[in-house]
Amino acid sequence: MDQSDLKAPMWQLSERARKLTSSAIREILKVTERPEVISFAGGLPSPATFPAERMRAAADRILRDEPAAALQYSATEGFLPLREWIAKRYSVNGAQIRPTQVLITTGSQQALDLIGKVLVCPDSAVLVETPTYLGALQSFSMYEPRYVQVPTDEHGLIPEALTPELTAGARLLYAQPNFQNPTGRRLPVERRRALAEFAKSAPFPVIEDDPYGALDYAGEPLPTMLSMAPDHIVHLGSFSKVLAPGLRVGYIIAPEELIFKLVQAKQATDLHTPSFTQRIVYEVIKDGFLDTHVPTIRELYRDQCAAMLAALERYMPEGVSWNRPEGGMFVWVNLPAQIDSMKLLEEAVAQNVAFVPGGPFFANEAQHNTLRLSFVTVPPAKIDEGVSRLGALIRAKI
Amino acid sequence: MDQSDLKAPMWQLSERARKLTSSAIREILKVTERPEVISFAGGLPSPATFPAERMRAAADRILRDEPAAALQYSATEGFLPLREWIAKRYSVNGAQIRPTQVLITTGSQQALDLIGKVLVCPDSAVLVETPTYLGALQSFSMYEPRYVQVPTDEHGLIPEALTPELTAGARLLYAQPNFQNPTGRRLPVERRRALAEFAKSAPFPVIEDDPYGALDYAGEPLPTMLSMAPDHIVHLGSFSKVLAPGLRVGYIIAPEELIFKLVQAKQATDLHTPSFTQRIVYEVIKDGFLDTHVPTIRELYRDQCAAMLAALERYMPEGVSWNRPEGGMFVWVNLPAQIDSMKLLEEAVAQNVAFVPGGPFFANEAQHNTLRLSFVTVPPAKIDEGVSRLGALIRAKI
């Protein structure tokens, strides 16, 4: 919508709302809904992985046997059996997680909003990876922090870079150790240990956001930082990538004293996550369903990733580099320094191919010669075709 | 939970989070979950009114026919057919509401949070009724406003009290014109007109929060302020009281330029309201179901209200007064000035009766000799019994 069309009076907005602007990328990407566009832009999981029939049976069972509870207001903390299931799931490698450490959220995005609400003040420092998850920047920005980018390399965040100078005044450090959005990088176990050790003495929490952790192609997950320092890590999880995002069920695992504040903030924010969707999730997973279901998602995404990597190998000219993800949904591409991926997007969309430019994933100084490719919803033949077009566009600029 | 039990490090919190404290009332009311307690405290609708079988059929139909869409990420604005239904529903009395003016929220509570996010800055003035809805105070307080109480009488907000002095610097005026929580008052049509006129020249929006509007016992709803000044009123609605609260589906109707900002704020807050629950609501209501369903709720609540009023008449000593609601879920009771309803609650709970003291519903100076009674979930015989015990406790204090 063009704001100049608007006739109603514009009331005085909050400072945070005045900073919100329409995203140029979003406008360009609107065309990607056309069926002829090969879109590597979406962050959507593949609907082929949604266990719809199982959810249908669960919904039916719940509305038959416990409609009054499933349709009534319920506790802000979330559905207790689901919290217990999550606590048990995370009580591994010697860590003991109590159900009172678990808060159910309306998707993982709400977890980010609540953390911002409870921890971030205007101009307080928030440490983020370089680049970092755009949705986290959007959430935290509502609370007007000052971002500090933590240096990274091809393995992710560099723990040694967390010097007292860099971290002074920080309210939190935000990281996605598994198959990060946008880079697809996985943080090695030694760095996890270093970061967990850092968290033990830091005067602020390390936020371990982990929506993609279950999606490692080899089925060999690395230990979470939560398991290494359960009293000092705030862990965010989600059922969006292992069941379905449309239910909007995520969770926060944190020390009880932070949960206590987060619950109050959540009460003011949406009272509670829908009782019905929480019960559907629990009903679907309670008998170990994820243990057989998640491997089928891993397998699909691994094959899709292989198709993307093969196509990049085939069509990208020299001077273009990318990583080889061990899991997740994204590949990160570095173009020659002179190519601005925002301009490239305009040309690509004209040729019915789409991706997300890398710039918006940087909190401060952006590397505009980067882009994110998502490969999970496009059939392999289309991946080949789409990357071929992209490769030709890039080649013409070198 | 007692915070002194906590062992984990307490990290530095945001200013807004530091102000959050455990509610004494909440602690006392925890005991009301015991089955022997007659509780007039809850604000829950009666589960007898939930159309569970209809929702079961809707959930089944949706997960059979359109699982990929119902379980996938979806637009932040909400499910378009539902937005169209709402726009049409409110296009009455000459007002034309467009679907682009409708944003679906995760319950009406989220509408309050988003409005606070977009309009309220620290120390900016927020105008509220005296008393006002506690949940609105909780939402807005996250954005640290300065509250200004607008004088009221037994009919609700007094429009003439909105002088330039009182309203200077305000970012919004928040009101519940229909069967207000906590007082049960309904704003007369002349005052609605006066307030709508006020809104037309005010430099800030009037927020018309209307969760209870459909619940007028006579089935003769008063026109909304939205219909009187569609470009200057922000209207909040909810399916919680006419279908079921556990789905968490509410909505905001506002000028497009405010919706534009609210959508961006919502994207940062929870991306979107669950696709599945939005579709269930639409599936249940699309064929006119509410037109036959809502009258059954009205009838039930009218009878429950009559039982409460009869019991108050029977058992309350002289010096106690209350209103006679024409709809909704609450009666507001004024005690003799020397009785503090907070202390009364402790004694009442010891006798297995509960209510909500009036104090927390006041933004600033509170009238502590007030209390809110909810009558919709307690059977009439128990209403009689509970009010009898309350009456005896009060009589002993006069």
Side-chain angles (χ1 to χ4, degrees):
Chain A
M1 191 177 59
D2 183 348
Q3 288 211 48
S4 63
D5 293 345
L6 299 168
K7 281 162 296 182
M10 195 38 148
W11 300 300
Q12 194 175 353
L13 301 176
S14 63
E15 181 64 23
R16 70 184 77 80
R18 280 198 291 275
K19 288 179 191 157
L20 290 168
T21 53
S22 184
S23 151
I25 292 176
R26 240 188 146 188
E27 293 306 310
I28 297 172
L29 290 179
K30 273 185 181 165
V31 304
T32 64
E33 285 157 25
R34 299 195 319 247
E36 65 270 26
V37 173
I38 299 173
S39 179
F40 305 129
L44 313 181
S46 169
T49 67
F50 301 162
E53 277 310 308
R54 217 177 154 93
M55 292 201 188
R56 194 174 159 213
D60 194 67
R61 216 278 299 147
I62 291 162
L63 289 178
R64 188 189 65 210
D65 296 344
E66 50 203 60
L71 297 173
Q72 187 58 284
Y73 286 117
S74 58
T76 303
E77 291 83 348
F79 183 48
L80 185 57
L82 181 59
R83 296 166 67 211
E84 290 171 338
W85 186 95
I86 292 165
K88 195 169 165 208
R89 187 88 168 178
Y90 281 88
S91 292
V92 290
N93 300 333
Q96 280 301 319
I97 305 297
R98 296 172 294 279
T100 47
Q101 288 177 265
V102 180
L103 168 63
I104 306 294
T105 56
T106 307
S108 213
Q109 187 73 30
Q110 189 186 47
L112 297 168
D113 177 56
L114 296 177
I115 284 169
K117 233 174 198 160
V118 163
L119 293 173
V120 179
C121 281
D123 297 318
S124 60
V126 164
L127 307 172
V128 295
E129 294 173 274
T130 313
T132 186
Y133 173 50
L134 176 57
L137 293 177
Q138 289 176 325
S139 285
F140 298 151
S141 291
M142 286 283 153
Y143 305 100
E144 304 171 79
R146 170 174 60 83
Y147 288 112
V148 176
Q149 295 192 153
V150 181
T152 58
D153 60 19
E154 69 274 22
H155 300 296
L157 190 146
I158 301 168
E160 293 73 31
L162 294 166
T163 59
E165 292 71 35
L166 192 83
T167 64
R171 290 301 177 89
L172 61 91
L173 187 166
Y174 171 78
Q176 285 190 354
N178 285 316
F179 321 121
Q180 192 221 28
N181 184 351
T183 62
R185 291 169 189 156
R186 172 154 71 166
L187 197 69
V189 69
E190 310 74 46
R191 291 197 183 180
R192 292 174 190 233
R193 281 198 218 294
L195 207 46
E197 280 308 310
F198 172 84
K200 285 182 187 170
S201 60
F204 54 84
V206 171
I207 315 292
E208 178 179 46
D209 185 13
D210 194 23
Y212 312 107
L215 304 181
D216 66 301
Y217 304 148
E220 290 168 357
L222 298 183
T224 62
M225 295 191 290
L226 177 73
S227 70
M228 298 169 178
D231 292 334
H232 300 83
I233 300 287
V234 174
H235 185 96
L236 313 187
S238 169
F239 293 101
S240 291
K241 307 304 185 297
V242 295
L243 285 182
L247 298 178
R248 313 300 305 124
V249 180
Y251 48 91
I252 305 177
I253 303 172
E256 273 104 348
E257 65 184 346
L258 189 66
I259 290 289
F260 181 82
K261 292 286 183 181
L262 291 166
V263 166
Q264 289 175 293
K266 179 168 168 69
Q267 196 184 24
T269 301
D270 70 354
L271 290 184
H272 62 83
T273 295
S275 323
F276 183 41
T277 53
Q278 293 187 65
R279 281 168 191 257
I280 290 176
V281 167
Y282 178 67
E283 181 77 11
V284 166
I285 66 175
K286 68 180 182 187
D287 296 323
F289 173 69
L290 289 182
D291 297 335
T292 55
H293 181 61
V294 170
T296 67
I297 307 177
R298 277 183 199 142
E299 204 169 312
L300 172 67
Y301 289 8
R302 187 191 62 208
D303 294 349
Q304 295 280 131
C305 183
M308 175 62 82
L309 293 175
L312 287 167
E313 203 67 61
R314 198 169 302 136
Y315 299 113
M316 284 297 155
E318 203 155 324
V320 177
S321 63
W322 57 90
N323 60 328
R324 305 186 68 82
E326 299 168 279
M329 297 165 55
F330 306 108
V331 174
W332 184 247
V333 178
N334 277 281
L335 305 173
Q338 77 275 19
I339 302 182
D340 183 330
S341 63
M342 190 69 201
K343 290 190 189 124
L344 183 68
L345 177 62
E346 289 179 46
E347 297 173 36
V349 164
Q351 301 210 15
N352 290 331
V353 184
F355 57 83
V356 180
F361 294 95
F362 294 83
N364 300 324
E365 307 76 31
Q367 294 161 19
H368 293 288
N369 60 327
T370 57
L371 59 90
R372 187 192 79 177
L373 298 174
S374 169
F375 46 74
V376 305
T377 50
V378 183
K382 291 274 186 188
I383 290 179
D384 191 84
E385 172 63 27
V387 174
S388 151
R389 287 184 213 164
L390 267 187
L393 282 173
I394 294 166
R395 194 178 299 272
K397 291 180 180 295
I398 295 182
Chain B
M1 190 176 62
D2 183 347
Q3 288 211 44
S4 62
D5 292 344
L6 299 167
K7 281 163 297 185
M10 194 37 146
W11 300 299
Q12 193 175 354
L13 300 177
S14 63
E15 183 63 23
R16 70 185 77 81
R18 281 197 291 275
K19 288 178 191 159
L20 290 168
T21 52
S22 186
S23 151
I25 292 177
R26 239 188 147 186
E27 294 305 311
I28 297 171
L29 289 179
K30 272 186 180 164
V31 303
T32 63
E33 286 157 27
R34 296 193 324 243
E36 66 270 27
V37 174
I38 300 172
S39 177
F40 305 128
L44 313 182
S46 168
T49 67
F50 301 162
E53 276 309 307
R54 217 176 154 91
M55 291 199 188
R56 193 173 160 213
D60 195 65
R61 216 278 299 148
I62 291 162
L63 289 178
R64 187 190 66 207
D65 296 344
E66 51 202 60
L71 297 173
Q72 187 57 283
Y73 286 117
S74 57
T76 303
E77 290 84 349
F79 183 48
L80 184 58
L82 181 59
R83 295 166 67 211
E84 289 171 338
W85 186 96
I86 292 164
K88 196 172 165 207
R89 187 90 168 176
Y90 281 87
S91 292
V92 291
N93 300 331
Q96 280 301 321
I97 305 296
R98 295 171 294 278
T100 46
Q101 287 178 265
V102 181
L103 168 64
I104 306 296
T105 56
T106 307
S108 214
Q109 188 73 31
Q110 187 186 49
L112 298 167
D113 176 56
L114 296 178
I115 285 168
K117 233 175 199 162
V118 163
L119 293 173
V120 180
C121 283
D123 297 319
S124 60
V126 163
L127 306 172
V128 295
E129 293 172 276
T130 310
T132 188
Y133 172 51
L134 176 56
L137 293 177
Q138 289 175 326
S139 284
F140 298 151
S141 291
M142 286 284 152
Y143 305 101
E144 304 171 79
R146 170 174 61 82
Y147 288 111
V148 176
Q149 294 192 155
V150 181
T152 58
D153 61 18
E154 69 274 23
H155 301 296
L157 189 144
I158 301 168
E160 294 73 32
L162 294 167
T163 59
E165 294 70 36
L166 192 82
T167 64
R171 291 301 178 89
L172 62 92
L173 187 165
Y174 172 78
Q176 284 189 353
N178 286 315
F179 322 120
Q180 193 221 28
N181 183 354
T183 64
R185 291 170 190 156
R186 173 154 71 165
L187 197 68
V189 69
E190 310 75 48
R191 290 197 184 181
R192 291 173 192 234
R193 282 195 219 291
L195 208 46
E197 281 308 310
F198 172 83
K200 285 180 187 171
S201 59
F204 53 84
V206 171
I207 314 292
E208 180 179 44
D209 185 13
D210 193 23
Y212 312 108
L215 305 180
D216 65 300
Y217 305 147
E220 291 167 358
L222 298 184
T224 61
M225 296 191 290
L226 178 71
S227 71
M228 299 168 177
D231 292 334
H232 300 84
I233 300 287
V234 174
H235 185 95
L236 313 187
S238 169
F239 294 100
S240 291
K241 308 304 185 296
V242 294
L243 284 181
L247 297 178
R248 312 300 305 120
V249 180
Y251 50 91
I252 305 178
I253 303 172
E256 273 104 346
E257 63 185 346
L258 189 66
I259 291 288
F260 182 82
K261 292 286 182 181
L262 290 166
V263 166
Q264 291 176 291
K266 178 166 169 70
Q267 195 184 25
T269 300
D270 69 355
L271 291 184
H272 62 84
T273 295
S275 325
F276 184 41
T277 53
Q278 292 187 67
R279 282 169 189 259
I280 290 176
V281 167
Y282 178 68
E283 181 78 10
V284 166
I285 65 176
K286 67 180 181 187
D287 296 325
F289 173 68
L290 289 182
D291 297 335
T292 54
H293 181 60
V294 169
T296 67
I297 307 176
R298 281 183 195 139
E299 205 170 312
L300 173 68
Y301 289 8
R302 187 192 62 209
D303 294 349
Q304 294 280 132
C305 183
M308 174 60 81
L309 293 175
L312 287 166
E313 205 65 61
R314 198 170 300 136
Y315 300 113
M316 283 298 154
E318 204 156 324
V320 177
S321 63
W322 56 90
N323 59 328
R324 305 187 67 84
E326 299 166 276
M329 298 166 54
F330 307 108
V331 175
W332 183 247
V333 178
N334 276 281
L335 306 172
Q338 76 275 18
I339 302 183
D340 182 330
S341 63
M342 189 71 203
K343 289 188 189 120
L344 183 69
L345 176 62
E346 286 178 46
E347 296 172 38
V349 163
Q351 299 209 18
N352 290 333
V353 185
F355 57 84
V356 180
F361 294 96
F362 294 84
N364 300 323
E365 309 74 33
Q367 294 161 21
H368 293 288
N369 61 326
T370 56
L371 58 91
R372 188 193 77 177
L373 299 175
S374 170
F375 45 76
V376 305
T377 49
V378 183
K382 290 273 184 186
I383 289 180
D384 191 86
E385 171 64 27
V387 175
S388 151
R389 288 184 213 163
L390 267 187
L393 282 173
I394 295 166
R395 195 178 300 272
K397 291 180 178 294
I398 297 183

